Amino acid sequence: MDVFFETSTGKFFSLEVGFFDTVRDIKDKVHKHHGFPVSAQTLVFQGQVMANDDRDVDHYRLLHNSCVHLVLSAAEDRARFKLVVNLPGSKRQLALEAERAESVGKLKERVRVLGGISSSRFTLVHGGVELAPEQRALGECGIGDGSRVSVAAAARPTEPAPRRLRAMLLPRAGMKRVAVEVNAAECAGALRKEMQKLRCGLNLSAYYYVPMENYFFIHGNNAMEEDKSFAWHDVRDGDTIEVFDGSILGAFASV
């Protein structure tokens, strides 16, 4: 089953959790996929601390689509570590100190100033993966002590992004997917218009479950921010976007 997590920095992610997983098993998965040490994690569900690592999912009554608050120790967020940044076009390197809670954007600005990079159009790459979005914390990108980050040229502004994308909308797990066309530059909230079309389509009502309201969208196991574009969410042609009942804000109101 899928379980959603909210980090101390306000970010969301989801993990697949087994029905017989223990609290320790969940913490190990969080560490494996997001780099947070097990010893620094505290899991809170519906106001209750999941304090016993040997208790299983059933004991804490976690269900599919449950929302867990991931609290990191203050020392973990403030812990400083060293990393190396490889500068482009030379053998120069920057040796920097950073904190897990520091954002990608803040690190980019420090690299621009200290590295003497004249343009702000560059990206940071770690392990072959671009560090994005800029609001994301370094700790959530898997950056830690001894990490090596490289500066790479950003895509040219004149490079055209795909104008139209064909995404597969999944109204509910196990149901048929619906093909929708969207503009890569459109905000993800445009999907609500597509949901309205489905509700009004008499021929589709017998084949698709379509929630009336209070739903949100998931792409790549992450909740979509509806004021951000499909390109920002890295939605690509043929990707599946899932629809989940409820509200993220409402889901975490009780945590």
Side-chain angles (χ1 to χ4, degrees), residues 220-237:
N221 290 329
N222 292 306
M224 299 182 74
E225 298 182 33
E226 293 188 29
D227 60 344
K228 297 294 195 316
S229 70
F230 293 100
W232 187 89
H233 288 97
D234 198 29
V235 176
R236 304 186 182 185
D237 199 50

Side-chain angles (χ1 to χ4, degrees), residues 6 43-48 66-71 248-255:
E6 181 188 19
L43 304 182
V44 181
F45 179 58
Q46 294 184 339
Q48 179 186 8
S66 289
C67 298
V68 176
H69 189 193
L70 170 61
V71 181
I248 290 183
L249 293 178
F252 285 102
S254 61
V255 176

